[in-house]
């Protein structure tokens, strides 16, 4: 195991409004509330849902792939450098995007996912 599932992240226009919808739908609580990022879950130490503001936001079309669904998995790791080495060996591709607390990769079929550490 390289890391633990942290969150399913859904790109959206208004993270707070979408988080409120899912809080009410799933009975979850708000764990992190920032202008461009909101996360909800059962408890701070369990995987949850997160909502990230993206601009411009283009809503997905269903069914179809002209404007596909926009979500990715966050994987919490202890050591970003070590985890990066391991996921690259599994066939992931580094996108070059991220910060000192997260890095963005593509899986072997080009779906984005993030390694996170905080």
């Amino acid at each position: 195991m390289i890391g633990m599932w942290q969150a399913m992240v859904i790109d959206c226009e208004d993270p707070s409004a979408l988080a409120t919808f899912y809080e009410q739908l799933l009975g979850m609580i708000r764990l992190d509330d920032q202008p461009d990022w909101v996360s909800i879950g059962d408890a701070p130490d369990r995987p949850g849902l997160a909502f990230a503001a993206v601009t411009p936001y283009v809503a997905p079309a269903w069914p179809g792939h002209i404007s596909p669904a926009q979500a990715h998995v966050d994987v919490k790791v202890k050591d970003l450098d070590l985890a990066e080495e391991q996921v690259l060996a599994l066939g992931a591709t580094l996108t070059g995007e991220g910060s000192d607390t997260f890095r963005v990769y593509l899986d072997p079929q080009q779906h984005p996912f993030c390694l996170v550490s905080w």
Side-chain angles (χ1 to χ4, degrees):
M1 178 175 85
I2 295 171
M4 292 177 20
W5 173 39
Q6 176 65 27
M8 173 63 74
V9 181
I10 300 173
D11 293 346
C12 60
E13 185 173 47
D14 184 343
S16 183
L18 195 55
T20 297
F21 171 83
Y22 279 99
E23 282 176 300
Q24 294 172 359
L25 177 66
L26 301 172
M28 293 181 163
I29 58 171
R30 200 163 288 220
L31 303 172
D32 190 7
D33 193 352
Q34 301 173 36
D36 293 338
W37 177 274
V38 177
S39 62
I40 63 172
D42 295 329
D45 61 341
R46 294 182 45 160
L49 291 174
F51 307 90
V54 296
T55 303
Y57 174 69
V58 178
W62 183 265
H65 298 288
I66 297 198
S67 179
Q70 300 139 4
H72 68 271
V73 174
D74 276 2
V75 179
K76 190 170 186 177
V77 299
K78 292 181 182 177
D79 182 321
L80 280 174
D81 293 328
L82 176 60
E84 177 174 295
E85 182 180 314
Q86 293 171 318
V87 298
L88 293 176
L90 291 176
T93 303
L94 179 63
T95 67
E97 296 180 36
S99 72
D100 59 341
T101 60
F102 77 95
R103 296 180 191 158
V104 183
Y105 304 83
L106 300 177
D107 71 19
Q109 293 194 22
Q110 306 303 300
H111 302 106
F113 69 95
C114 293
L115 296 180
V116 301
S117 180
W118 57 79

